[in-house]
Amino acid sequence: MTTTRMELVCPAGTPATLRAAVQAGADAVYCGFRDETNARNFPGLNFSRDELAEGVRFAHDHGSKVLVAINTFARVDDVDIWKKAADMAAESGADAIIAADFAVLDHVARNHKQIRLHLSVQAAAATPEAIGFYAARFGIRRVVLPRVLSLQEIAALNRAIDVETEAFVFGGLCVMIEGRCYLSSYATGKSPNLNGVCSPPEMVSYDEEPSGTAARLSGFTIDRYGRGQPVGYPTLCKGRFKAGGKTSHLFEDPVSLNAGGMISGLKAAGVTALKIEGRQRGKGYVSEVVRAFRKAVDAVEKGGEAVDIDRLLAGQSEGARQTSGAYEKKWR
Amino acid sequence: MLPGFVRHLFPTVAGLPAGPLLTLSLRSLARRRPGLFERLGEYRSACFGIDPVDLAFAFRVVPDGLRSSVRVVSKDGAAGSDVLIRGPLLTLLSLLDGTLDGDAMFFSRIISISGRTEAVLALRNTIEDAELRPSDLLGLHGILARCVDTGVLGALGAARRLADNSPSEARKA
């Protein structure tokens, strides 16, 4: 078991959410710029240069860190906005840049040696060899682990590498291999990993029809809801489709990761930081989830168990259903 | 949901003065906090139809900074907006002051939206970040602002509790 205190890394889509996360007990907050350089490029979300600088001041005044996600993949003829975003993050006094693209990692490693580099989950690095390469070549200090590893695999990985690991503990799950979603790209022409947007809202529509509400993405009907039935955001991977005469969530159920009960296991596996997902979510979500995980992590750090967290967070999960994901993988 | 008699107490004509007042209020807010409207990006020129289902009238809002406008319109008049947001008045007000989460209200069908989803998302994120209080909309400062915020938010809370306990809600439950 590691002796250092685990870090709680929390999402911030806006300056107000950053403040809420810090006040709820986040050790670190991650956020991004208001453009396609980060993987949550949605209207009204994210930070300007000045907002980031102000957010960093606020976080540091309260003893928290700010990690800036510049984690989409740069384009052949247009790398400059990614480099500029890295420059702005470094100038703002942020504590780390989270990146996946070689061009961005190389730019930061060469030009901003004072700032920590974290390898984004978008890089999908899950072997000692891959992580070792990033560490040797770009000096990454931490890797955000893809959500495909079991606890045993994470423990084995941590024994074989010299960099910190950060593991997701709460939030949406993705059926695609991290960093390579082709479903949304196929349907909308916009890539989560290149343009920073999964199921872009300009292609989302909710149409009232005699049989209820049809949720569509780029004209494709992803789901139908009866009158008064709770609706969801139409991502293709979590849509309901008819196949073989049966209607079901063909690719993935709308279920959320909640590894709140596995915090001590993650600590024992050598994980340095626990990550909460949800930069698109509001202050209410961030405050509640961060507060619950703060309690749970503190309890584990004192040698206890985080027993209450499932009950505390049941209402915040997508589809109100939760899973421990691959951490307890039994199918392989 | 407000009691049914409210709709009869406030017919469309009674709401008309609210349009110019809210327009002035939004423009004043834009002078004091221009960054708030920048977050809306291109959607600041979109027309948002806000339809409180328990009132006899609706609003057409263009949150375009110093050119912002709010018009009181009939229910049909809101239908041609780029976005139409419908829900109980107290819920809509609670989204403004951040008491309730817009996503949760939408996913549970308490509010409904139609039209340009991306504009709604931009508006929701902007409101979320703005942390608006009643005094911000009225342009008040200091002790007066604190008194108004306490009074208005307290009254809203009381109205919400009253509505939650109303016989119609009890029947639904």
Side-chain angles (χ1 to χ4, degrees), chain A residues 285-304:
Chain A
Y285 164 89
V286 168
S287 298
E288 189 175 340
V289 176
V290 174
R291 214 169 279 130
F293 268 93
R294 177 78 275 153
K295 256 189 214 169
V297 172
D298 288 348
V300 168
E301 292 293 350
K302 284 178 190 159

Side-chain angles (χ1 to χ4, degrees), chain A residues 173-201:
Chain A
L173 280 172
C174 212
V175 74
M176 288 285 139
I177 298 168
E178 308 277 4
R180 295 288 182 274
C181 177
Y182 296 110
L183 274 176
S184 180
S185 308
Y186 170 77
T188 69
K190 281 198 174 179
S191 160
N193 314 109
L194 297 175
N195 307 103
V197 60
C198 164
S199 305

Side-chain angles (χ1 to χ4, degrees), chain B residues 27-109:
Chain B
R27 290 180 182 179
S28 163
L29 186 65
R31 266 191 296 278
R32 284 176 282 121
R33 294 178 61 183
L36 194 157
F37 292 81
E38 280 165 25
R39 185 167 286 281
L40 275 169
E42 62 187 280
Y43 306 108
R44 52 192 286 164
S45 56
C47 180
F48 294 86
I50 315 284
D51 179 6
V53 292
D54 37 11
L55 288 184
F57 50 89
F59 301 91
R60 278 171 71 98
V61 181
V62 180
D64 194 6
L66 295 172
R67 291 188 295 273
S68 295
S69 68
V70 182
R71 282 175 52 214
V72 171
V73 294
S74 66
K75 296 287 189 189
D76 291 342
S81 309
D82 294 314
V83 170
L84 182 60
I85 304 169
R86 301 184 81 234
L89 178 67
L90 291 175
T91 303
L92 296 173
L93 288 173
S94 300
L95 297 180
L96 259 187
D97 73 21
T99 312
L100 297 177
D101 176 50
D103 285 358
M105 292 300 103
F106 171 66
F107 289 135
S108 59
R109 311 291 282 263

Side-chain angles (χ1 to χ4, degrees), chain A residues 45-92:
Chain A
L45 216 57
N46 299 317
F47 288 64
S48 67
R49 179 195 195 119
D50 291 344
E51 286 168 346
L52 179 67
E54 178 54 37
V56 169
R57 274 194 294 276
F58 181 88
H60 287 176
D61 286 349
H62 291 76
S64 302
K65 297 174 191 161
V66 174
L67 323 176
V68 181
I70 306 171
N71 58 348
T72 48
F73 291 90
R75 284 187 296 270
V76 173
D77 55 349
D78 194 14
V79 182
D80 283 353
I81 66 162
W82 278 265
K83 289 183 177 175
K84 197 175 156 206
D87 296 342
M88 289 195 298
E91 286 158 14
S92 74

